[in-house]
Amino acid sequence: MELHNLSYTKGSRNHKRRICGRGFSSGLGKTCSRGQKGQHSRKSGNVRIGFEGGQTPIYRKIPKIGFSNYNFADKAYIVSLQQIINSKLTDVNRKTLIAKKLIGKEKLPIKLIGPSSYKNIKITKLNIEVEKATKSVIKFLTENGANIILIKINK
């Protein structure tokens, strides 16, 4: 054995994380690696991300970009023809849809939509009163003897 092939055994030199702020015995003494004075040297001196010491932060100086159409979108209850068939309704209007819990009680317009394919759908006599409906549903219902009435929306 010679000096050039001496090595430490694994785990004998464990460099642990320093524990700061626990008196002189912490090994760092006095300021405990926080430096002299100032906000960051205090025990509660942590500030949130993006804080710039009271100056208007950069994220508030930069203008907002983009646009959301959420506030201007046409809100409506969507009811499918399949839901009406499954609930076995013959008279479809706001009261019956609320009773079957297909829509809520809020005064939004009701829009009737249809499936992608009308092949498997068989309807009996239906009386439907809604504010909106797709063209394909209107065409399908009138061809199959259903009575559909589009109510005018009061704005």
Side-chain angles (χ1 to χ4, degrees), residues 33-87:
S33 77
R34 290 174 180 259
Q36 306 284 329
K37 300 183 184 177
Q39 187 170 20
H40 295 287
S41 70
R42 315 295 185 204
K43 68 177 181 180
S44 326
N46 298 330
V47 292
R48 61 179 162 71
I49 294 170
F51 183 70
E52 297 181 24
Q55 170 181 300
T56 307
I58 190 82
Y59 67 84
R60 286 186 58 202
K61 289 180 182 178
I62 297 170
K64 293 180 190 177
I65 56 168
F67 176 75
S68 173
N69 200 29
Y70 178 79
N71 296 329
F72 306 102
D74 288 336
K75 295 174 180 79
Y77 288 118
I78 306 294
V79 179
S80 69
L81 192 60
Q82 193 63 51
Q83 286 176 317
I84 292 170
I85 293 167
N86 291 346
S87 57

Side-chain angles (χ1 to χ4, degrees), residues 10 35 41 77 95 125 131:
K10 190 173 183 181
S41 70
Y77 288 118
K95 285 183 182 178
K125 288 191 176 181
E131 285 82 7

Side-chain angles (χ1 to χ4, degrees), residues 90-102:
T90 53
D91 291 328
V92 179
N93 54 33
R94 188 172 294 275
K95 285 183 182 178
T96 56
L97 291 173
I98 290 171
K100 288 286 185 175
K101 296 184 179 178
L102 292 175

